Amino acid sequence: MSQTYRRKLKTLVGASSVISAGNDNQPGVGITRAIELAKIAEREKITGLFTADLLQADPAGLAGTTGTQDPLIALAALSQVTSQIGLIATVSTSWLHPYNLARQVATLDHISGGRAGWNAVTSSVGEENFGEGQLPPPQERYARATEFIEVMNALYDANERAAVQRTASGGIRLDPRKLHPIHYRGDFFQVAGPLNVPPPPQRRPVQFQAGQSEAGVTLGARYAEVIYTSQPTFEAAQTFVAVVQQRARRFGREHNPPLIMNSFHSIIGESDADVARRLRDKHDRINYEQGRLRVADMLGGEVNLTEVPLDQPLPAALIPPLEQVHRRQGRAAIFRQYALEGLTLRELIIKAEETGHWFVAGTPEQLADAIEQRYQAGVLDVISLHGLGSPDQQDLLLNGLLPELRRRNLLDSDYQGSDFRSSLELAPLPPAVD
C-alpha cells in the first residue's frame, strides 16, 4: 500500500449525471432522483459522491451529461439530505479564481458539516467562454494550477479557528484580528487575503487532483491528497503509482503520499453467459461514425479518421506525437499506445466508450477479483464505481459487487469518522496558524 497501515478500500460513486435538466414531474430527472441516489449511496456506506464537470456545451456530443449542472450548487443541495457521505466537486484551475473558489468550497464544508472535497483539473476545453482565444499550453495551465492550489491552501491555513465568536445575542461574528492576510504574489494571482469565511470544519476541504500527464503527475505528487487517474491495465497502474510515490518522496511526502483513485467502468452480469450478452448488447448500441470522432478526441482532437476502414489499424502518420497534443495528454498517451499496438479503428472505438478508464466485464466475483488484485498490490486506495442509477446495473452493484467486496473484508462496514477527511483516513494536515 501507499501508506504504512492497511486502510480499507474507499468507494465513490458519480453524482454528475443524476441531476439533469427537467422538472420533478418527469421520472428520473431533477433533484428528486439525485436525492434518492445520494441516500442510497449513504445507506450503502459509500465514502463519497464525486462530480465531474466541463465548462462548455460540447458541440460534438462526446461529453455525455458532464457539465449539465454546477457541481458545487448540486452538492450543496445533496448535503442537506445526507449526513456522512463526502461531497467532491470538480473545479477548473484554468478558468476559475482561487479566492472565490476558496469561499465556495469552505461554505460547502460548513453547510455539510465537514464533508467537502474539491477536484482540481486544468481543463482541456472551455477557453471560448473565458476570454481566451485559444487553450493555453499545458505547461502554462499547470503553472497556474500550482499557484491556484498554493493560494487555496494559504487562505485556509491563515485564519485562526478562534476567529469565530458567538455574541451575547446569539449571533456569530468574526474577529478580524484573527483573520490573517496571505499577501500572495505570483505570475497568475495576486491575493492579499484574508479569507472572509470562517475556518472550514476540516480546515482544508479534501483536495483531489486529476491529471496524468508529466506535469499533472508532478502537481499531484506535490499537493494532492487523492490523485484521480484512469489506468486501464494493472501494469499501467503499477508504473503510475511507482512514479507518483517517487515524486512524492522528492517533495518530502514519503510518509503521506497521495491516495490513488481509479475510476472503474464495468458491466456486471449474473453469469458468464449473462455478461457476454450484456457486452454484446453494449457493442451493438455503439454509433461507430460518432465513435470516429470520439477516438480522434482521445488522440488529441486534431485527427481526421473519416477515411480509415473500421477493421484496419490507424496509419502511423495519423497518430500525433504527444508533444503536439495540448488537450488531455494523459488520455492521448493511453490511446496513442493502443494505436501503436495495432488495434483496429473498431477496437479503438470500443475502447473509447470507456474514455481510457479501467474497464472489466464480469460477474460480481470476477469484478471483485480485479479490484482485489490492485488493492493488494498497493496501487488502489479509492475506487469510483459505476452502476448506481443504471436500471440494469444498480441491483447487481448493490446486491452483488458491494457485498462481495465486504465479504472479502475490502470495504469498511461504516463511516470512519465525523468528517470526510476521517472517512478517507487521511494523514494529519501540517500545522497552521492557531
Side-chain angles (χ1 to χ4, degrees), residues 361-416:
T363 63
E365 294 77 15
Q366 290 165 341
L367 267 62
D369 287 343
I371 293 169
E372 185 171 21
Q373 180 190 35
R374 292 201 186 195
Y375 172 78
Q376 297 294 1
V379 299
L380 180 66
D381 302 301
V382 182
I383 186 168
S384 178
L385 297 168
H386 286 233
L388 186 65
S390 172
D392 66 339
Q393 290 287 277
Q394 180 170 306
D395 181 66
L396 286 165
L397 171 67
L398 300 182
N399 298 311
L401 180 58
L402 288 179
E404 179 62 22
L405 292 172
R406 289 202 167 92
R407 187 187 68 78
R408 301 182 187 205
N409 201 33
L410 298 179
L411 301 184
D412 297 311
S413 58
D414 204 348
Y415 291 98
Q416 296 304 295

Side-chain angles (χ1 to χ4, degrees), residues 334-387:
I334 291 171
F335 276 83
R336 187 174 190 276
Q337 183 62 37
Y338 285 152
L340 292 174
E341 289 172 359
L343 269 66
T344 66
L345 178 55
R346 186 187 301 275
E347 291 168 330
L348 289 171
I349 289 171
I350 291 171
K351 293 280 190 185
E353 287 290 298
E354 313 307 330
T355 63
H357 288 287
W358 177 22
F359 173 76
V360 179
T363 63
E365 294 77 15
Q366 290 165 341
L367 267 62
D369 287 343
I371 293 169
E372 185 171 21
Q373 180 190 35
R374 292 201 186 195
Y375 172 78
Q376 297 294 1
V379 299
L380 180 66
D381 302 301
V382 182
I383 186 168
S384 178
L385 297 168
H386 286 233

Side-chain angles (χ1 to χ4, degrees), residues 206-219:
V206 179
Q207 204 256 300
F208 288 64
Q209 183 264 341
Q212 55 196 53
S213 65
E214 280 294 307
V217 173
T218 298
L219 181 71

Side-chain angles (χ1 to χ4, degrees), residues 158-166 173-180 198-199 433-434:
N159 290 349
E160 298 179 43
R161 301 194 75 80
V164 182
Q165 300 176 347
R166 188 170 292 278
R173 70 179 294 270
L174 290 177
D175 183 347
R177 296 167 300 176
K178 299 184 188 305
L179 302 178
H180 302 289
V433 171
D434 201 5

Side-chain angles (χ1 to χ4, degrees), residues 37-55:
L37 294 175
K39 288 182 174 180
I40 290 172
E42 187 164 83
R43 184 192 70 205
E44 296 294 331
K45 310 304 180 184
I46 298 295
T47 317
L49 296 172
F50 183 88
T51 64
D53 196 27
L54 292 177
L55 295 172

